[in-house]
Amino acid sequence: MPGNSVLETAITIDTLEVANRTFITRFRSPKIACMVTPGQFLMASFPETSDPLLPRAFSVSDAQEETMSLLYVAVGKGTGRIAKLKPGEPVVMNGPLGRGFPDMKGGTSVWVAVGGSGAALIPILDRAARKTGTEITFYYGARTGAQLVNLDGIKNINHATDDGSKGFHGNVVEMLKEEMKKGRPGQLFGCGPTPMLVAMKKGFESQIQTYLSVETPMACGMGFCQGCPVRKSGEGDYYLACKDGPVFSAADIEFEVGR
Amino acid sequence: MPGNSVLETAITIDTLEVANRTFITRFRSPKIACMVTPGQFLMASFPETSDPLLPRAFSVSDAQEETMSLLYVAVGKGTGRIAKLKPGEPVVMNGPLGRGFPDMKGGTSVWVAVGGSGAALIPILDRAARKTGTEITFYYGARTGAQLVNLDGIKNINHATDDGSKGFHGNVVEMLKEEMKKGRPGQLFGCGPTPMLVAMKKGFESQIQTYLSVETPMACGMGFCQGCPVRKSGEGDYYLACKDGPVFSAADIEFEVGR
Amino acid sequence: MSADLRVHIGGLELKNPLMTASGTCGYGDELGDYFNVSILGAVVSKSLTLKPKIGNEPPRVAEVSCGMLNSIGLANIGVQRFISEKLPKLEKLGALLIVNIAAKRAEDYVSLADALAKVSFVRGLELNLSCPNVKEGGIEFGTDLGTLSSIVKLVRKVFPRTLIVKLTPNVTRISEFAKAAENEGADGVTVANTYVGMAIDIHSRLPRIHTVTGGMSGPAIKPLTMAKVFETSKAVRIPIVASGGVFVWQDFVEYLMAGATAVEIGTALFTKPDAPARFLEGITDYLSKENIKRIDELIGSLRVNPENVPHLKRN
Amino acid sequence: MSADLRVHIGGLELKNPLMTASGTCGYGDELGDYFNVSILGAVVSKSLTLKPKIGNEPPRVAEVSCGMLNSIGLANIGVQRFISEKLPKLEKLGALLIVNIAAKRAEDYVSLADALAKVSFVRGLELNLSCPNVKEGGIEFGTDLGTLSSIVKLVRKVFPRTLIVKLTPNVTRISEFAKAAENEGADGVTVANTYVGMAIDIHSRLPRIHTVTGGMSGPAIKPLTMAKVFETSKAVRIPIVASGGVFVWQDFVEYLMAGATAVEIGTALFTKPDAPARFLEGITDYLSKENIKRIDELIGSLRVNPENVPHLKRN
Ligand SMILES: Cc1cc2nc3c(=O)[nH]c(=O)nc-3n(C[C@H](O)[C@H](O)[C@H](O)COP(=O)(O)OP(=O)(O)OC[C@H]3O[C@@H](n4cnc5c(N)ncnc54)[C@H](O)[C@@H]3O)c2cc1C
Ligand SMILES: Cc1cc2nc3c(=O)[nH]c(=O)nc-3n(C[C@H](O)[C@H](O)[C@H](O)COP(=O)(O)OP(=O)(O)OC[C@H]3O[C@@H](n4cnc5c(N)ncnc54)[C@H](O)[C@@H]3O)c2cc1C
Ligand SMILES: Cc1cc2nc3c(=O)[nH]c(=O)nc-3n(C[C@H](O)[C@H](O)[C@H](O)COP(=O)(O)O)c2cc1C
Ligand SMILES: Cc1cc2nc3c(=O)[nH]c(=O)nc-3n(C[C@H](O)[C@H](O)[C@H](O)COP(=O)(O)O)c2cc1C
Ligand code: FES
Ligand code: FES
């Protein structure tokens, strides 16, 4: 079970641009690094300004001893600021937060579908799988090859691109369907844009234990604000993405239909 | 007469910490550098954020060919940001603005009293004096020696410190009064905190042509907002510090009494 | 010797003027991860309704310049589960508890107050007459003087301990509402809830909050609420609890000088969940540097001639 | 082919919806240092009064989070000097001019409107019924429906061209004031002036603005004014001019989607005096990328079910 979360002033180690507008930044953040489990996230904030005001959510992409990394797409004010951090500069992190993927048990097999910034989860899941002796395979999709992050040292990644420029020609869910014709994993994990998660729920939840990491707007990340509802299956009620998730069993949740 | 002002994206060259919390930052800013006259100022702004929102006013401290420098005390958000600019980073400058000191005429003598960040004006005034063959002497005061900026290559600076740790023991106006016993300049300039300017007006305006550079809160620096009134002598009316000043003949203005 | 930080609202003594703002720290129990909640003057819990409420559809939150919009829709577990599940935890944490309540009908406010009057650990009530995000009731109560008066009067009858009325800022003259609350026997007023705001995603052309408008909070609203605290302080004698945009301890001092007796921390908790502990350090240092012996000396200590204020002159 | 940017307010055609906000660009003539003012839909000049006014004592401006407070007190050269000194310059610059007027008494509004009606270069009037920073009149007119109606009616009689009424946001329901202006024959309403705000320097314990409260402008107020533009757009048929917190061209589009026909740039000019030129580029690009042929297709194009809006349901 996840430990308590802490506020830690993380120190920037370095930043690498790893794909189009996509960065990996490493931090010295000993407290969070040693507690985090795959799928948990943290909230990064910028105390010296009120613009941006709210902390930004990031899945922890990798953690080893005192070092932790984030993989993110620079889309706005918060991510833009993180990408500009110089080595040695501090940033306040609140984490680890939420519930991650179920603990891996050795001897099982796990397939992981990732899209967009969901690629952040590849390193941390791969590390956990190796530790527990779990057979893990990644299916990683993007619009085009230039958006795919090259993750050193991680084998078992199968790529899919919408334009066919690298790997499977089509989206990651189509690729999974093809692969399923040959065999099936014990568990299926998904992290990426909501349309991908919707397709995974629809396509696989009845056949395989499927866990999805959802993204919703969040103000606090700690269950304080009730700002991140995710609809419970069948009920009129909501989970909170930040406390009860961000990883849910696909069967437990429903996605909002267009407003 | 001052030319028109322009918006220019200045490029940071370097920053030096020259005294306690006091910095000199040099910029490549060819358009403003070639137009500015001593006592004129510019407004520096940070377009990527709304906090700080308004531009910040700075006297141009020196200008030569394409290079311009600011000398400032890091007191808040805006000055803090400028002090952190890395070489090559851009910042938007609007200037030159306002009316500076009267043009120097060769053969006259000018005494300049400065205090605090008013020291910014020493280099640019010294350069103008040398150009026109004007005899210039600076009287530069601070609370204590550690706050005095060491300005390389500028002679004729006499220091005063409240605690006597360097130069004259007392404030700069007291020092001027002592000096005046020996002789008098053709013109007297002052730039520094308001209490110093008030004392200069009171002490010298009837005897010597005295020009003071005033500091008021400013929102625009261009005469757009009417936010920077300075009371006209004898009348109920106001000047605008940013258009009609920031340099005024001491006889023309009155300082607000405590509210 | 450190300064005396105590302040009073009705019969209630707070060990200091720091409170949490309703809805920004859950039921208060989870703050314990970040600091010891017993250091707070008071914990104000999420608005409770008689029955549990699931709240509004997402998106419920959106960031704007120096602020945020929210439209939670009073999602909460209901008063009964609060009493059975949350109260014991808060008691264990040593919190001084003020419970915030909300309802659609006057009778429901009375039922809620009645139920909570029986629980002695509930030291005070904050009546939310100002939530801008529910379709019926909510803000309406807060923008009509008569309705506000009648609800305060009814609740006052059944709740003997400290009763605070939380006002909406979305009115022309908030001091009139504060006076009405005072006249009906409220022990204090909270100035104020969130401001009606709106933002649009120009790419999808959809509102960024499902209910289109939401309540705006954060540093952006601080100067507005500051003016309202000052206005109210000139109109009533009961203590004012300030709520709006506090982000650094200096904001706290500013509200006290403007006339507040206590100050709530809301949105700041999202970025800095340990803010109350930090603020308390900042304020304690400040008082000792300024050689101020009692924090209540700061209350209303602004040096001002009310004659200068066009906004007040017109009263 | 580039999009058709024209919009109309009463009989007046603006070449595009970009306007300057009164009091934030002097009399309009000085903008010429930074861009060609003839590209603007309209220049709105500083509030004029019958006689020159020296304005309030300093400090008049203070920065707050994502915004500023001002209390200029309508410092201006008076209508006669404006006509003789400033108009010729504006005419030379090719500006389309809307003049903003303010007064303490209804008769003075009429005298001002009468004087300006005689100058054909003055294409429209913006009645400032909402300045929060003068001791008499000012905001008072704007918070009383009857007074507002009677002033608009009187001015309407003497001013035959486009008449826009600038409303204060410091009221419970701004749409009622917009309806009153519409009923008396106004051609448009400006939503809205600044919000009453306040800030204190905790070291000196003095207010940061001499008049204690000032008018708040800047990005901080944008979501609030957005909600008011949307509310007003559901209540009146005359065009709405949005004014509040525009800082990037996207804010412009947001206001149009919320229901505005034109948008004023105010505080942004202090940081970016060339903002109108930049915004125009941004908007033109956006329209061409989105393949929008006429900018007026954007007006009120928010995709929303008004049923979802608690704030409107209560009308
Ligand atoms: C639990 C969780 C884990 C996340 N992990 C990662 C991660 O590992 N790597 C990563 O790159 N991103 C991740 N995100 C998304 C990340 O939080 C947003 O990209 C980030 O908040 C954007 O901040 P910004 O200030 O750069 O952009 P903003 O200026 O806030 O917004 C820029 C654009 O991004 C959009 N946006 C804002 N918030 C979100 C959001 N939560 N999701 C999607 N789009 C958003 C806005 O609509 C806007 O168009 C995660 C989000 C959640 C909730
Ligand atoms: C014409 C003019 C020329 C100036 N030239 C220089 C210069 O060459 N070097 C320099 O260091 N400073 C100069 N100043 C002052 C400078 O503008 C302020 O120090 C600066 O605006 C502070 O910005 P900030 O964001 O760092 O501080 P803020 O966060 O805005 O404020 C921090 C503190 O500084 C105080 N402050 C804010 N504005 C001013 C002001 N205008 N004057 C004095 N105190 C203020 C505030 O009250 C606050 O206590 C000049 C000001 C004017 C009007
Ligand atoms: C996410 C969120 C939820 C809120 N929920 C409530 C609530 O349930 N009841 C209430 O009275 N106020 C509620 N508020 C208002 C706050 O208590 C507070 O008055 C307001 O946010 C202004 O303070 P701030 O700027 O410090 O956040 C909520 C505010 C936020 C941001
Ligand atoms: C310094 C200043 C002076 C202003 N003077 C006037 C004025 O004379 N008349 C008026 O109608 N509005 C005046 N306003 C209000 C603006 O026209 C505008 O409505 C308001 O600032 C909101 O827009 P913004 O956030 O884009 O600045 C003034 C605003 C500022 C900041
Ligand atoms: S983000 Fe605040 S409760 Fe989930
Ligand atoms: S600072 Fe705006 S007019 Fe002087």
Side-chain angles (χ1 to χ4, degrees), chain A residues 225, chain C residues 21-24 46-47 68 70 72 74 100 126 128 166 192-194 217-218 221 243-246 264-267 270:
Chain A
C225 76
Chain C
S22 178
T24 62
K46 172 88 197 144
S47 279
M68 65 174 282
N70 89 75
I72 306 299
L74 296 179
N100 179 301
E126 185 179 56
N128 178 357
K166 186 165 181 178
N193 211 311
T194 52
S217 63
I221 66 168
S243 181
V246 168
E264 295 182 350
I265 312 181
T267 303
F270 303 162

Side-chain angles (χ1 to χ4, degrees), chain A residues 53, chain C residues 62-71 132-133 169-170 192-199 209 213-222 224-225 243-245 267, chain D residues 65-66 216 218-227:
Chain A
L53 178 80
Chain C
E63 182 165 328
V64 292
S65 296
C66 290
M68 65 174 282
L69 301 175
N70 89 75
S71 179
N133 302 318
N170 301 296
N193 211 311
T194 52
Y195 292 74
V196 175
M198 174 172 162
I209 292 282
T213 58
M216 183 152 148
S217 63
I221 66 168
K222 195 191 71 176
L224 308 183
T225 299
S243 181
T267 303
Chain D
S65 296
C66 290
M216 181 152 148
I221 68 168
K222 194 190 72 177
L224 308 182
T225 299
M226 194 71 64

Side-chain angles (χ1 to χ4, degrees), chain C residues 231-245:
Chain C
E231 178 197 328
T232 304
S233 76
K234 300 293 168 211
V236 299
R237 288 163 181 279
I238 52 175
I240 297 164
V241 180
S243 181

Side-chain angles (χ1 to χ4, degrees), chain C residues 66 135 139 171-172 197-200 202 204-205 212 216 220 223 254 257 298 301-304 307-308 314, chain D residues 66 135 139 171-172 196-200 202 204-205 211-212 216 220 223 254 257 301 303-304 307-308 314:
Chain C
C66 290
K135 288 198 190 167
I139 207 179
V171 294
T172 310
M198 174 172 162
I200 298 171
I202 65 167
S204 65
R205 298 197 189 181
V212 187
M216 183 152 148
E254 209 177 325
M257 289 180 175
L298 290 178
S301 64
L302 178 71
R303 292 165 50 199
V304 63
E307 286 295 299
N308 284 353
R314 290 186 307 270
Chain D
C66 290
K135 287 198 189 167
I139 205 179
V171 294
T172 310
V196 175
M198 172 173 163
I200 298 170
I202 65 168
S204 65
R205 298 198 189 181
T211 51
V212 187
M216 181 152 148
E254 210 177 324
M257 288 180 176
S301 65
R303 293 165 50 200
V304 64
E307 287 294 299
N308 284 354
R314 290 185 308 270

Side-chain angles (χ1 to χ4, degrees), chain B residues 218-221 223-228, chain D residues 23-26 46 61 68 72 270:
Chain B
M218 287 185 179
C220 75
F224 287 11
C225 76
Q226 304 268 335
C228 57
Chain D
T24 62
C25 56
K46 173 87 198 144
V61 293
M68 65 175 281
I72 306 299
F270 302 162

